[in-house]
Amino acid sequence: MQDLIKNFKNKLHSDGVVGMFSKTCDPALIEIMGYAGMDYVIIDLEHGPNAVQSVQNLIRGAQVAGVMPIVRVKESCASVMGEVLDIGAGGIQVPQITTREEAEAVMKRTKFSPVGERGVCRFVRAAQYSAKDRFEYFKDANQTVTVLQIEGQEGIAHIDEILSVAGIDVIFIGPYDLSQSLGVAGQIDHPLVEQKMLEIVNKCTEKGITVGTFVDTVENAKKWRALGVKYLSYSVDMGVFYEATASIVKQLNAK
Ligand code: 3PY
Ligand code: MG
């Protein structure tokens, strides 16, 4: 996992990375993402059927195919973030960050001393069930990736304070929640949404913080990449499968 994290971070800060959200319960789909060349997968606990227990084999699937496993939790709940990291996630993504205190709390709960106060157990998968040298484990565990989502007006109002928290690897803009917060729910290409997204991208870029966002068209992926977004999350496995299937049906039914 350390090599996966290291290579991921190198690419994140140079060319940028492309990944996909995942709601599957089957590690095979995540392996396929790796074989297809995706850099990372976001295993989603905020939306979808997975629970912490099922995440373990999904992470194994990601490792088999060299795709970096990041787990999106429901909220900055200390116990879930710790469990997910103990299971071996390479990174954690936390939705709906609105204040500096929330961002600080994530750091505190996901990093070991001297950075934070994550609960310690060295008999977990991330520590190779105690096979790994304990001091190496504590050091390596603090290299996991931290992605914080800003996706509402409150987060934007506090963006300077949030960005001042040390250790954030990526600020991720959730365009769907942002569109709702701006009163144009679902219209992720609405000028109001795009303008706010651009403000966040520019602010992060100014401060040297890497930015990510969700896209569901190649056109938008290219657009945001050209504007400086380096952590692109392309759609969701379920949506990609639906689109491919619907396109086949349409072609077969064409007169
Ligand atoms: C959002 O758009 O709100 C997300 O969290 C990612 O799709
Ligand atoms: Mg969201």
Side-chain angles (χ1 to χ4, degrees), residues 21 46 72 149 151 172-178 214:
F21 273 94
E46 186 191 11
R72 179 164 78 171
Q149 295 190 194
E151 46 188 348
F172 180 94
I173 309 164
Y176 277 101
D177 275 303
L178 183 59
F214 175 90

XYZ file of all heavy atoms in Angstrom, residues 21 46 72 149 151 172-178 214, ligand 1:
125
model
N -16.078 7.012 -8.805
C -16.825 6.625 -7.604
C -17.332 5.204 -7.792
O -17.603 4.778 -8.921
C -18.026 7.548 -7.399
C -17.708 8.800 -6.628
C -17.371 9.970 -7.289
C -17.742 8.803 -5.241
C -17.083 11.131 -6.574
C -17.455 9.953 -4.522
C -17.125 11.123 -5.190
N -20.968 7.028 1.690
C -21.977 8.083 1.907
C -23.280 7.718 1.188
O -24.361 7.884 1.719
C -21.475 9.457 1.399
C -22.456 10.571 1.763
C -22.178 11.913 1.079
O -21.359 11.990 0.147
O -22.819 12.895 1.489
N -14.930 7.060 0.784
C -15.711 8.226 1.228
C -16.625 7.771 2.349
O -17.459 6.888 2.164
C -16.524 8.828 0.088
C -17.348 10.018 0.615
C -17.875 10.897 -0.478
N -19.033 10.335 -1.147
C -19.772 11.014 -2.039
N -19.453 12.266 -2.357
N -20.796 10.442 -2.622
N -14.302 17.488 1.279
C -15.260 18.029 0.314
C -15.824 19.373 0.796
O -16.311 19.477 1.922
C -16.417 17.044 0.094
C -15.944 15.764 -0.548
C -17.061 14.847 -1.026
O -16.791 13.687 -1.314
N -18.296 15.340 -1.146
N -18.828 21.649 -0.447
C -19.932 21.480 -1.396
C -21.183 22.232 -0.965
O -22.287 21.804 -1.260
C -20.210 19.992 -1.623
C -20.279 19.161 -0.360
C -20.355 17.660 -0.626
O -20.584 17.232 -1.758
O -20.212 16.901 0.357
N -12.050 18.739 -2.494
C -12.918 18.192 -3.531
C -14.223 18.978 -3.558
O -14.887 19.135 -2.529
C -13.196 16.716 -3.228
C -14.083 16.031 -4.218
C -13.546 15.329 -5.288
C -15.473 16.063 -4.078
C -14.365 14.685 -6.206
C -16.298 15.416 -4.990
C -15.738 14.733 -6.059
N -14.588 19.451 -4.736
C -15.855 20.186 -4.876
C -16.933 19.206 -5.322
O -16.795 18.563 -6.365
C -15.729 21.299 -5.943
C -14.501 22.178 -5.678
C -17.005 22.123 -5.996
C -14.095 23.029 -6.879
N -17.990 19.095 -4.543
C -19.123 18.237 -4.925
C -20.137 19.085 -5.679
O -20.900 19.836 -5.066
N -20.174 18.998 -6.995
C -21.037 19.915 -7.752
C -22.529 19.695 -7.513
O -23.319 20.643 -7.583
C -20.658 19.639 -9.213
C -20.031 18.304 -9.233
C -19.411 18.100 -7.880
N -22.913 18.456 -7.222
C -24.351 18.215 -7.018
C -24.840 18.855 -5.729
O -25.840 19.584 -5.715
C -24.659 16.707 -7.052
C -24.803 16.223 -8.475
C -23.763 15.548 -9.103
C -25.952 16.489 -9.208
C -23.867 15.145 -10.429
C -26.072 16.087 -10.532
C -25.029 15.414 -11.137
O -25.141 15.030 -12.446
N -24.123 18.608 -4.639
C -24.545 19.252 -3.390
C -24.417 20.768 -3.491
O -25.253 21.503 -2.957
C -23.744 18.701 -2.201
C -24.371 17.420 -1.674
O -25.555 17.447 -1.306
O -23.690 16.384 -1.666
N -23.378 21.201 -4.207
C -23.206 22.653 -4.362
C -24.382 23.256 -5.127
O -24.909 24.308 -4.760
C -21.878 22.938 -5.090
C -21.512 24.408 -5.260
C -21.409 25.118 -3.908
C -20.185 24.552 -6.020
N -16.109 16.233 -9.311
C -16.842 15.158 -9.969
C -17.269 15.635 -11.346
O -17.742 16.758 -11.497
C -18.086 14.835 -9.131
C -19.001 13.832 -9.761
C -18.845 12.479 -9.521
C -20.044 14.238 -10.597
C -19.690 11.553 -10.103
C -20.892 13.319 -11.181
C -20.713 11.969 -10.935
C -21.529 15.965 -5.179
O -21.582 16.281 -6.374
O -22.216 16.514 -4.309
C -20.621 14.908 -4.744
O -20.475 14.684 -3.584
C -19.909 14.106 -5.759
O -20.654 13.755 -6.789
